[in-house]
Amino acid sequence: GLCGGGLMCTGESPVQFSGCSFTENTAHDGGGVYGGDVRLWSSTFSGNAAEDLGGALYFYPVGGACGHYAYEIGNCIIAFSAAGEAIYAGDWYPDLPVTCTNIYGNAGGDWTGPLAPSCGTNGNVSEDPLFCGADNPGSPFTLHADSPCAPTANPECGLIGAWGVGCQV
């Protein structure tokens, strides 16, 4: 599709997601999710792609000409987007509400643009999430026991992503 390969949220009503996985979706903008007023918690994005902007996520202002951004991201993994930066939200939104999130290995960049200052603060990291993959083919996005997203690695954040520990090293 043109926008939101996994999900397109239009309009000005808030949409909230928790415990979701968006994998291997493709779109022109927002490979995983395209939307305005979106809150994402404890979700995993992996292998999404955008031909233009937002390999995993593309956010746009809501509210017409005097638009504002109303989105939040917490305890999410955004990894391995095949094309496009991890998150696109324009360069005009200086204080992005992103906490306890791991953004890693995205083809177009990880903590880019206005996201850059958030890396290393508020529990945000950029480390390989160590998905189980072939070690747990039934649940490939579960985490190795020594993952930086496992609850034991982040006592202040708890689990990062939608899936818990599913394999040992």
Side-chain angles (χ1 to χ4, degrees):
L2 285 179
C3 298
L7 180 68
M8 181 176 178
C9 302
T10 60
E12 295 182 30
S13 297
V15 180
Q16 298 185 38
F17 297 94
S18 180
C20 297
S21 292
F22 296 89
T23 59
E24 298 181 10
N25 298 291
T26 302
H28 185 266
D29 289 319
V33 172
Y34 177 94
D37 196 345
V38 179
R39 275 96 171 156
L40 296 159
W41 300 101
S42 303
S43 294
T44 298
F45 292 78
S46 182
N48 297 288
E51 295 167 19
D52 193 18
L53 299 170
L57 301 160
Y58 181 107
F59 293 108
Y60 63 85
V62 294
C66 298
H68 67 284
Y69 288 87
Y71 73 87
E72 297 175 57
I73 301 170
N75 292 75
C76 290
I77 298 172
I78 302 168
F80 309 118
S81 293
E85 71 274 56
I87 299 173
Y88 177 79
D91 291 332
W92 50 87
Y93 193 54
D95 188 22
L96 300 174
V98 179
T99 58
C100 295
T101 291
N102 185 6
I103 302 178
Y104 176 82
N106 297 283
D110 297 325
W111 294 91
T112 60
L115 283 173
S118 297
C119 186
T121 65
N122 298 319
N124 295 319
V125 297
S126 185
E127 298 180 38
D128 187 337
L130 300 178
F131 293 132
C132 289
D135 292 337
N136 188 346
S139 297
F141 298 106
T142 55
L143 306 170
H144 279 275
D146 63 346
S147 168
C149 301
T152 54
N154 294 291
E156 72 278 4
C157 292
L159 175 65
I160 295 176
W163 301 87
V165 172
C167 58
Q168 303 297 316
V169 177

